[in-house]
Amino acid sequence: MVYIYKTLVSNQLLFILLLVSVLYFLLKLSSPNLTRSTTTLTPVILHDYNFGFERTCSDISNTSSDLIQQICHIEQSKLTPLHSRTVLVRDTSRIRYYAQRDLQGWQMFYENIGYKVVEPRFSLTPPDPCLYDVLLCMGLVLQDQSCVSPQDYPRLAPGQRVSQFYGMRQVLWRKDSFCRTMKSVFARIPKRVSTDFLFDCWVLPNDLEDLRGVMHGEPDGLWIAKPRSRGEGKGIMIVHNLAELYEYNLLGSVIQPYLDRVMLIEGRKFDLRTYVLVTSINPLRAYFYKEGLVRLASELYNKTGNSKTQFLTNTSVGKLVANINDIVWMYKDLIKYLRKMNFDGDLLFERVEEVIVKTLLAGEVGFHKLYQDTFPGYMCENCYQLLGVDVIIDEDLNPKVIEINGIPSMQLSHDLGVKPDPSKPYTATKFGLLRDTLNTLYQPNTRPHQLERMIDKLGIGIVPSTCEEQHQFCVTNREFAFLVDSQREFFSKGMYKRIYPTQNGDLYTDLLTHTHKTIMKTADDKNQLTTYKLHHLMTLIEIYNLQNH
């Protein structure tokens, strides 16, 4: 009897072992590695409800595991100041325009975290990198040359920061650059990738003949002409035909069709000034601030009118003829209004986040080419940039990206020289934005034990030291450092929402497949890192983070 019982138990154990082996084999076949193309990112359930490790790197001891020591070394190298916690200000504009507008806020919040802010006498010669821990780049004139010399970028220490991505004006910021980048990337995009979030555009005079044919086919159309590199609504005009382009000397402009079925608020046009913090351009890490500005035109909309204040929503234009409090709402005001009109405000902002991510991912192609030609092997790892992305909404709640501003106003009050009032929504938004930006960048908040657990559960190994056959993903040291930075920022982001990487990675797989192929066509190093290569892994990490925290 005992023999029969032992035999049954043994057979059951063998059956269970065989079943586990088969399941493991099938899992290995279906699990993608970092370079495999994936069209669908299937969420993996990774619940770990007893996950209670909240200790940061400041709490660990020398007896911690080698992996935890490595994680904390990466954090320390990125966050340790080298030059007396010095923030150096570089304003290349006339009469210190941007410093007068924005420096009060940046200085207040940098000093709150123990940095000193210094603005030396201006010189066209870029400052010695040994003079600063942080370089605040302001202004438009010769930005890429007079803030940091291109040859100095790769020489920066891991703990040094520059508040701009080299080449942002050449790829996404200038209106003509934005137009060319988007047209280039999306010209041969698969049809399943929607481009409805972009306006058609023509950069004159090069695209004049193409525009002539389009205008001829739409004699009743309205067109918006914008100077290539000016901001704050300066020089923008509404035109009806080609003759007006000649009449008003607009043959050096960027032309876009005017949005016909634009959504109105109480009869007035509006757009959204969104704030997007980019902490890595390759692979992409981007954060959307949950509060921003709803900018309303100062006059009622009339399509047949000719007043700028009916068409333009820039606050710099509107406040000349209206009280600023009447033409600026917060997002919460817009959501309340949409709810009253039976629209889904949450759905709108999900769509806004999606089109912003697509825009930034498309820009990666241009940055790769520029960096390959300028400093091969370096991808501006020391850089961050707070962007103002302007978005307009049509009657069906579909957002379109208007443009990207590389120096959004951080002015703490509506008017220069006016003492900021933290009780006012406008000032409170800027206070929160500045605080959460610096916390995201500098807060030492990596949870090494949580990260170690996640690495184990996702099956991540590091090449060549710990990558073994059983690992589902093998990452390089640079990719691992990106992962550590991502986790630290995740716990420090405040009112920022990470919009890439995201748990909804499926939305971007087709676009990333396209951009990766485009990058590889001209890449000198076919193994260079792209957002696409980490896309699947980072999607799983975001799913894990949101399930467990």
Side-chain angles (χ1 to χ4, degrees):
M1 192 71 182
V2 172
Y3 172 81
I4 295 174
Y5 175 79
K6 287 184 177 180
T7 302
L8 287 172
V9 170
S10 176
N11 288 340
Q12 286 178 340
L13 289 174
L14 286 172
F15 176 78
I16 291 171
L17 184 61
L18 179 61
L19 181 60
V20 169
S21 300
V22 170
L23 289 172
Y24 176 78
F25 177 75
L26 291 174
L27 181 63
K28 289 289 285 184
L29 286 177
S30 62
S31 298
N33 56 34
L34 292 186
T35 60
R36 186 179 300 170
S37 172
T38 55
T39 56
T40 302
L41 299 176
T42 305
V44 177
I45 304 302
L46 296 166
H47 289 302
D48 190 2
Y49 294 113
N50 295 318
F51 202 60
F53 301 113
E54 296 295 327
R55 288 181 293 172
T56 61
C57 283
S58 61
D59 303 318
I60 69 165
S61 66
N62 292 330
T63 60
S64 299
S65 68
D66 290 343
L67 181 59
I68 286 181
Q69 296 286 350
Q70 183 178 356
I71 289 168
C72 292
H73 174 74
I74 291 171
E75 180 191 272
Q76 183 181 23
S77 68
K78 292 291 182 72
L79 299 183
T80 301
L82 303 175
H83 307 295
S84 304
R85 292 182 175 268
T86 300
V87 178
L88 205 63
V89 179
R90 291 282 290 170
D91 186 345
T92 61
S93 63
R94 292 184 180 181
I95 65 168
R96 296 180 61 252
Y97 172 77
Y98 293 100
Q100 289 188 69
R101 188 190 72 179
D102 299 341
L103 188 53
Q104 179 187 16
W106 286 114
Q107 182 166 355
M108 180 186 301
F109 284 90
Y110 264 111
E111 288 178 349
N112 281 349
I113 60 172
Y115 284 77
K116 62 180 180 180
V117 178
V118 178
E119 186 180 5
R121 188 173 179 178
F122 176 71
S123 166
L124 284 175
T125 304
D128 187 332
C130 294
L131 298 177
Y132 59 83
D133 292 296
V134 182
L135 192 60
L136 276 182
C137 297
M138 299 178 174
L140 309 180
V141 180
L142 300 174
Q143 188 197 42
D144 280 331
Q145 288 75 35
S146 64
C147 194
V148 183
S149 295
Q151 62 267 26
D152 281 343
Y153 273 98
R155 300 172 186 170
L156 295 173
Q160 290 180 286
R161 293 275 195 171
V162 179
S163 69
Q164 69 173 27
F165 282 96
Y166 181 81
M168 182 63 75
R169 282 181 64 75
Q170 296 171 249
V171 179
L172 290 176
W173 184 353
R174 284 173 53 117
K175 296 174 180 66
D176 55 341
S177 301
F178 182 83
C179 176
R180 291 191 180 104
T181 295
M182 294 301 115
K183 288 176 75 171
S184 173
V185 172
F186 289 103
R188 297 177 179 83
I189 199 78
K191 290 184 178 180
R192 61 181 175 271
V193 179
S194 171
T195 59
D196 292 344
F197 66 96
L198 295 171
F199 288 100
D200 290 332
C201 58
W202 296 265
V203 179
L204 302 186
N206 290 6
D207 298 337
L208 184 58
E209 288 308 309
D210 287 343
L211 179 61
R212 188 190 307 275
V214 175
M215 281 188 163
H216 180 73
E218 299 181 32
D220 297 326
L222 276 181
W223 311 85
I224 187 165
K226 304 177 181 180
R228 296 183 182 200
S229 59
R230 298 180 72 183
E232 299 182 337
K234 296 173 183 176
I236 295 178
M237 294 191 68
I238 304 297
V239 297
H240 300 79
N241 50 54
L242 200 64
E244 290 184 349
L245 294 177
Y246 287 95
E247 179 183 350
Y248 300 122
N249 193 27
L250 298 173
L251 295 184
S253 303
V254 177
I255 310 298
Q256 293 176 322
Y258 194 80
L259 183 58
D260 186 34
R261 298 176 57 253
V262 63
M263 175 175 277
L264 304 177
I265 291 179
E266 298 174 348
R268 290 184 291 173
K269 269 192 65 180
F270 75 96
D271 70 7
L272 305 181
R273 161 53 61 89
T274 70
Y275 297 103
V276 179
L277 175 64
V278 181
T279 59
S280 173
I281 205 71
N282 171 63
L284 180 66
R285 280 199 316 271
Y287 301 83
F288 180 91
Y289 202 64
K290 295 180 182 178
E291 189 56 276
L293 303 180
V294 182
R295 308 183 302 183
L296 290 85
S298 55
E299 289 187 57
L300 294 177
Y301 179 67
N302 179 1
K303 186 178 178 180
T304 60
N306 57 10
S307 170
K308 262 191 176 185
T309 49
Q310 297 173 5
F311 290 93
L312 299 185
T313 57
N314 305 74
T315 53
S316 55
V317 174
K319 70 182 182 181
L320 299 176
V321 296
N323 186 306
I324 194 72
N325 295 315
D326 294 331
I327 59 172
V328 176
W329 284 8
M330 300 293 108
Y331 287 170
K332 60 185 177 183
D333 302 318
L334 174 61
I335 292 173
K336 182 178 178 181
Y337 174 81
L338 291 173
R339 189 178 299 122
K340 184 173 70 174
M341 303 301 294
N342 295 318
F343 283 105
D344 187 340
D346 292 334
L347 175 62
L348 169 63
F349 280 97
E350 287 176 11
R351 292 175 175 177
V352 168
E353 292 163 9
E354 181 182 338
V355 301
I356 290 172
V357 172
K358 287 181 178 179
T359 302
L360 294 174
L361 290 174
E364 185 183 8
V365 177
F367 285 110
H368 256 281
K369 183 66 171 68
L370 179 63
Y371 292 177
Q372 177 178 273
D373 295 342
T374 309
F375 25 61
Y378 179 74
M379 287 301 296
C380 227
E381 288 95 333
N382 302 83
C383 308
Y384 72 92
Q385 194 153 359
L386 180 58
L387 304 174
V389 183
D390 294 338
V391 178
I392 196 166
I393 315 299
D394 72 14
E395 291 179 343
D396 298 320
L397 218 66
N398 295 311
K400 286 180 176 285
V401 176
I402 302 172
E403 62 188 34
I404 290 179
N405 186 325
I407 310 180
S409 172
M410 289 297 107
Q411 189 174 311
L412 297 181
S413 60
H414 289 303
D415 296 298
L416 286 173
V418 176
K419 186 177 180 180
D421 182 353
S423 68
K424 300 293 185 183
Y426 180 91
T427 302
T429 296
K430 295 297 177 70
F431 272 34
L433 178 61
L434 287 162
R435 179 198 64 227
D436 290 346
T437 296
L438 297 194
N439 280 340
T440 303
L441 292 172
Y442 302 109
Q443 180 69 26
N445 209 6
T446 304
R447 316 285 173 86
H449 294 88
Q450 290 188 4
L451 182 51
E452 183 181 48
R453 176 71 65 89
M454 183 187 72
I455 288 168
D456 178 62
K457 292 186 77 69
L458 290 180
I460 300 171
I462 306 171
V463 177
S465 56
T466 65
C467 186
E468 299 177 359
E469 185 178 347
Q470 73 270 18
H471 287 116
Q472 302 298 308
F473 300 95
C474 287
V475 298
T476 65
N477 285 321
R478 180 189 172 192
E479 292 164 351
F480 185 67
F482 176 87
L483 192 158
V484 174
D485 286 344
S486 297
Q487 291 302 98
R488 181 187 58 78
E489 291 174 0
F490 180 84
F491 292 111
S492 307
K493 61 188 184 301
M495 278 187 61
Y496 275 112
K497 176 184 178 181
R498 183 139 73 191
I499 54 175
Y500 193 87
T502 170
Q503 63 172 338
N504 300 316
D506 286 343
L507 292 171
Y508 309 112
T509 303
D510 289 334
L511 173 58
L512 278 167
T513 302
H514 172 73
T515 56
H516 176 75
K517 288 179 180 177
T518 305
I519 291 168
M520 288 298 106
K521 286 179 182 177
T522 58
D524 292 337
D525 177 10
K526 301 301 181 182
N527 293 316
Q528 66 180 278
L529 184 57
T530 64
T531 303
Y532 167 85
K533 290 185 177 180
L534 285 181
H535 178 57
H536 183 67
L537 173 59
M538 295 308 298
T539 299
L540 292 178
I541 288 174
E542 290 302 291
I543 293 170
Y544 182 90
N545 281 335
L546 294 172
Q547 285 179 350
N548 289 287
H549 309 302

